[in-house]
């Protein structure tokens, strides 16, 4: 009788451990807000979940998991069934490529060009589609240079050492990535120069050189001013006053010897574009902000409030048409979404990365509304002559 009991103990023990793992996985799969916190399938929940024997806390639950895992039967069970629950760190190459491309971020190339062209159309009624497309492709090349060179220099500093979607890590070639980046910069700059020559406006290419210079000193050695907390001011200047104003000037007509003046409208529009672009950058590195995530969430809230106060102020001062105010005001819900999301998730590093994509939506929709308001004013009023700051 004793021998029978002795023989039965291992199987009972194995059954008990296996039962623990089955219950663990079943509860982890069906409990909302379960979060995988380690590669050993430690699922912790908020709030604590109920069982028949009472309420188990997160610590007790994780301790129970570790006790089961550390047993021999537990390790064997996990190895045999490791495919039952997919690991979060197993990301497909297609997903990594999508993340490396950063397609949504290219709105920062489209919005300044579109808004600048819309201001020129408001004032002159002229729009050069071929030149717009040339500037668009050139801008995309410039943004690609920024992304690729940023990957290279972050790789050099060790910031992207474990970043799977880093282009350098994916292609396993720092030199190839850097050479490709600067080839795209050269091609993009050639396109910008061609458009400037065709428009006959030398001021535009000087402004674009200033914008590219901001991008260079932001991330490239020996400057790397992004590490000094100057990324947002440089981003604001590059995509706002410099790029948006330059694209506005590039919609002038050389054949008519007409050079667009700098007006309060283009300066106001470029200010708003720079503001929303800088917000994307801030939320892209939200988990790295020096002031802490709580103060960072407050900065985002103040920035959104300031954006719309600035919009209404510029509208009341007639620097921007009323149609711009009305259409841009429709983006208030997405602005509120950005604020609420950051406030609720600023301490969660697994969720806060989504804030930058909400900012991209705000940037794109706000820019589209601004451009649509400018075009609508010209369509309705047929003529609009803003007061020039500089002729």
């Amino acid at each position: 009788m004793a021998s029978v009991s002795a023989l039965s103990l291992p199987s009972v023990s194995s059954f008990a451990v296996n039962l623990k793992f089955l219950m663990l996985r079943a509860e982890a799969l069906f409990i909302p807000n379960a979060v995988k916190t380690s590669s050993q399938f430690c699922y912790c929940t908020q709030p604590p979940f109920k069982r028949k024997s009472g309420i188990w806390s997160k610590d007790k639950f994780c301790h129970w998991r570790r006790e089961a895992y550390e047993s021999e039967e537990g390790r064997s069970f996990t190895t045999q069934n490791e495919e039952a629950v997919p690991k979060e760190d197993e990301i497909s190459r297609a997903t990594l490529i999508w993340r490396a491309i950063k397609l949504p971020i290219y709105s920062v190339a489209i919005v300044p060009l579109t808004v600048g062209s819309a201001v020129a159309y408001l004032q002159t009624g002229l729009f050069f589609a071929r030149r717009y497309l040339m500037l668009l492709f050139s801008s995309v090349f410039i943004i690609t240079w920024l992304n690729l060179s940023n990957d290279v220099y972050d790789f050099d500093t060790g910031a992207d050492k474990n970043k799977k979607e880093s282009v350098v890590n994916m292609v396993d070639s720092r030199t190839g990535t850097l050479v490709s980046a600067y080839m795209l910069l050269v091609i993009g700059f050639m396109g910008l120069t061609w458009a400037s020559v065709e428009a006959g406006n030398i001021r535009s290419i000087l402004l674009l050189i200033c914008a590219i210079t901001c991008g260079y000193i932001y991330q490239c050695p020996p400057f790397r001013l992004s590490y000094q907390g100057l990324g947002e001011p440089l981003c604001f200047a590059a995509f706002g006053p410099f790029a948006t104003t330059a694209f506005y000037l590039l919609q002038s007509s050389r054949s008519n010897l007409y050079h667009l003046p700098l007006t309060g409208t283009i300066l106001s529009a470029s200010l708003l574009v720079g503001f929303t672009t800088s917000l994307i950058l801030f939320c892209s590195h939200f988990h790295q902000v020096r002031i802490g995530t709580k103060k960072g969430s407050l900065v985002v809230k103040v920035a959104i409030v300031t954006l719309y106060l600035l919009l209404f102020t510029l509208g009341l001062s007639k620097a921007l048409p009323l149609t711009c105010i009305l259409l841009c005001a429709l983006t208030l819900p997405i602005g509120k979404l950005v604020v609420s999301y950051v406030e609720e998730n600023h301490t969660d590093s697994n969720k806060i990365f989504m804030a930058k994509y909400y900012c991209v939506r705000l940037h794109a929709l706000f820019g589209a509304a601004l451009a649509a308001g400018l075009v609508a004013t010209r369509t309705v009023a047929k003529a609009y002559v803003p007061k020039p700051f500089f002729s």
Side-chain angles (χ1 to χ4, degrees):
M1 193 69 176
S3 61
V4 173
S5 300
L7 290 172
S8 301
L9 284 176
S11 59
V12 171
S13 174
S14 177
F15 174 77
V17 173
N18 291 351
L19 181 60
K20 282 185 179 182
F21 271 85
L22 287 172
M23 294 172 64
L24 169 66
R25 295 187 179 203
E27 288 175 343
L29 289 173
F30 290 102
I31 295 172
N33 303 323
V35 180
K36 185 184 293 183
T37 58
S38 76
S39 60
Q40 296 178 356
F41 304 106
C42 174
Y43 288 86
C44 300
T45 61
Q46 294 289 346
F49 56 90
K50 293 183 178 181
R51 292 178 55 87
K52 290 182 180 179
S53 58
I55 299 178
W56 283 20
S57 67
K58 177 176 67 176
D59 293 338
K60 186 174 181 180
F61 179 68
C62 293
H63 174 75
W64 182 70
R65 192 279 311 164
R66 287 192 296 270
E67 184 182 45
Y69 178 82
E70 289 170 358
S71 67
E72 182 177 352
E73 293 88 348
R75 288 193 297 271
S76 176
F77 181 87
T78 304
T79 302
Q80 294 172 7
N81 297 274
E82 61 183 356
E83 295 182 358
V85 180
K87 298 180 180 179
E88 286 186 357
D89 57 357
E90 293 178 352
I91 304 174
S92 67
R93 186 166 183 81
T95 301
L96 292 176
I97 292 174
W98 172 257
R99 292 182 180 181
I101 293 174
K102 303 175 184 176
L103 189 60
I105 302 299
Y106 283 88
S107 64
V108 301
I110 300 173
V111 170
L113 173 59
T114 303
V115 171
S117 299
V119 177
Y121 179 79
L122 169 68
Q123 185 166 334
T124 66
L126 300 176
F127 176 74
F128 301 95
R130 187 183 67 164
R131 194 181 304 168
Y132 178 92
L133 292 176
M134 173 61 73
L135 291 171
L136 177 60
F137 287 121
S138 300
S139 300
V140 168
F141 287 147
I142 300 294
I143 300 301
T144 306
W145 160 71
L146 283 172
N147 288 334
L148 292 179
S149 59
N150 183 66
D151 274 5
V152 170
Y153 296 124
D154 279 350
F155 175 82
D156 291 344
T157 60
D160 283 356
K161 182 179 180 180
N162 299 317
K163 186 177 180 181
K164 294 183 178 181
E165 62 266 30
S166 168
V167 176
V168 177
N169 291 334
M170 291 179 66
V171 303
D172 195 24
S173 175
R174 177 196 180 278
T175 303
T177 305
L178 188 63
V179 170
S180 299
Y182 280 95
M183 286 180 62
L184 291 171
L185 172 62
V186 171
I187 295 173
F189 187 75
M190 289 174 61
L192 298 177
T193 303
W194 174 87
S196 180
V197 171
E198 185 183 61
N201 196 313
I202 193 63
R203 293 178 296 175
S204 60
I205 195 62
L206 294 177
L207 288 171
L208 290 172
I209 289 174
C210 291
I212 294 172
T213 301
C214 286
Y216 185 89
I217 63 177
Y218 163 78
Q219 62 190 15
C220 301
F223 306 100
R224 290 178 176 166
L225 296 185
S226 60
Y227 290 88
Q228 308 302 320
L230 297 176
E232 285 73 22
L234 288 171
C235 180
F236 171 84
F239 292 95
F242 289 149
T244 306
T245 305
F247 292 138
Y248 157 77
L249 295 173
L250 286 173
Q251 285 294 322
S252 62
S253 174
R254 184 177 183 179
S255 59
N256 295 334
L257 298 177
Y258 184 81
H259 292 269
L260 292 170
L262 293 178
T263 64
T265 303
I266 182 57
L267 296 179
S268 299
S270 66
L271 188 66
L272 296 174
V273 171
F275 216 92
T276 56
T277 310
S278 300
L279 192 60
I280 296 175
L281 180 62
F282 184 82
C283 287
S284 296
H285 303 93
F286 194 88
H287 59 291
Q288 298 173 334
V289 293
R290 299 181 180 182
I291 59 177
T293 59
K294 185 173 181 60
K295 291 183 179 178
S297 65
L298 181 60
V299 169
V300 172
K301 184 175 183 178
V302 171
I304 295 294
V305 172
T306 303
L307 172 66
Y308 287 99
L309 286 178
L310 191 60
L311 170 69
F312 291 118
T313 301
L314 293 173
L316 293 175
S317 65
K318 297 184 179 181
L320 290 174
L322 179 61
T323 49
C324 292
I325 313 307
L326 296 175
L327 292 177
C328 288
L330 297 178
T331 65
L332 273 168
I334 186 65
K336 183 180 179 181
L337 175 62
V338 172
V339 173
S340 60
Y341 186 85
V342 171
E343 285 183 337
E344 294 172 4
N345 301 287
H346 67 88
T347 58
D348 191 338
S349 59
N350 293 321
K351 292 183 178 180
I352 195 60
F353 82 96
M354 279 297 299
K356 68 179 178 182
Y357 293 108
Y358 290 129
C359 290
V360 168
R361 294 180 191 178
L362 174 62
H363 173 69
L365 291 174
F366 193 95
L370 185 60
L374 294 165
V375 172
T377 299
R378 177 73 191 194
T379 303
V380 173
K382 301 299 182 182
Y384 184 85
V385 184
K387 183 180 179 180
F389 280 176
F390 304 101
S391 59

